[in-house]
Amino acid sequence: TATFEDVFGAPRAQINLIETCLTVATNLLSPLAGTLIDRWSIRHLMMIGMTAMGLGLMILSQAGTLLHIWVVWASLIPLGVLLIGAIPSAALISRWFIRRRGLALGLAATGSSLGGFLMPPFMTWMFLEWDWRTGLMVAGCICFATSSITILQPGLVIIGICNLGSGSLCQLNVDLGCFNKILTRPNL
């Protein structure tokens, strides 16, 4: 399968700027994400995050230049990472659990770590089976499907991290039970 260097004719240093775009944008937007999480429904923000992630992955699959990739990795992908990642997950768990809060946070982190362990081989398989463009399109569709399920089933909360570094695309820990009531409360 072709690498970014082959497809875009760019040196490794320019390809590595992709991760820099994500890191800088995520660091700059984190305070804004925290403010939004304090004021708005976490469920709605997570759905916005999944939509941003899905749209970002689908746009990446159609990128014609390295500039397109940098722009998406500095805009939609960080938005998705922040709104479905550790910040809203920790806020959601902290609002719900009084007793055994540490255990709940630990279990959520374990789910994210498990996703981080499973997703890179899955994405690698898709890239090798098809190509990177098709793999990213499928990953974007998975994000949209997950967001749609959340809209159709209000008791479903998606907790996780979308960490696009090191090849990992989406890490999801889905819990159908203990968070059911939290979604019916305002601002959660």
Side-chain angles (χ1 to χ4, degrees):
T1 185
T3 63
F4 278 177
E5 290 96 338
D6 297 334
V7 172
F8 298 110
R12 173 63 74 181
Q14 290 180 357
I15 301 298
N16 287 340
L17 282 176
I18 295 169
E19 190 68 31
T20 303
C21 290
L22 176 67
T23 302
V24 170
T26 303
N27 286 330
L28 291 174
L29 294 173
S30 288
L32 175 63
T35 301
L36 291 174
I37 289 164
D38 283 339
R39 296 179 183 189
W40 289 3
S41 163
I42 292 175
R43 178 171 173 258
H44 293 126
L45 290 171
M46 286 183 153
M47 287 188 294
I48 291 168
M50 285 301 282
T51 301
M53 182 64 69
L55 185 61
L57 293 172
M58 292 173 120
I59 291 171
L60 283 174
S61 76
Q62 302 303 308
T65 68
L66 202 52
L67 179 62
H68 295 151
I69 292 177
W70 292 336
V71 169
V72 173
W73 276 72
S75 58
L76 290 170
I77 301 299
L79 182 63
V81 167
L82 289 171
L83 294 181
I84 61 174
I87 299 170
S89 299
L92 184 67
I93 290 168
S94 295
R95 291 177 187 177
W96 184 249
F97 289 93
I98 304 300
R99 293 188 43 215
R100 307 188 98 177
R101 184 178 291 157
L103 176 61
L105 288 166
L107 290 173
T110 300
S112 293
S113 296
L114 183 61
F117 177 74
L118 296 175
M119 287 309 293
F122 176 66
M123 292 305 300
T124 300
W125 173 80
M126 284 197 305
F127 291 171
L128 293 174
E129 186 68 23
W130 302 307
D131 62 16
W132 66 271
R133 291 184 186 274
T134 305
L136 289 175
M137 183 63 76
V138 170
C141 290
I142 291 170
C143 289
F144 277 119
T146 305
S147 183
S148 298
I149 291 169
T150 306
I151 291 168
L152 296 173
Q153 174 53 272
L156 179 67
V157 175
I158 299 160
I159 297 176
I161 275 188
C162 276
N163 173 5
L164 289 135
S166 305
S168 176
L169 285 174
C170 282
Q171 306 168 25
L172 299 176
N173 174 26
V174 179
D175 187 330
L176 294 169
C178 64
F179 293 107
N180 193 21
K181 291 181 184 176
I182 201 168
L183 296 176
T184 60
R185 293 171 45 194
N187 297 328
L188 295 181

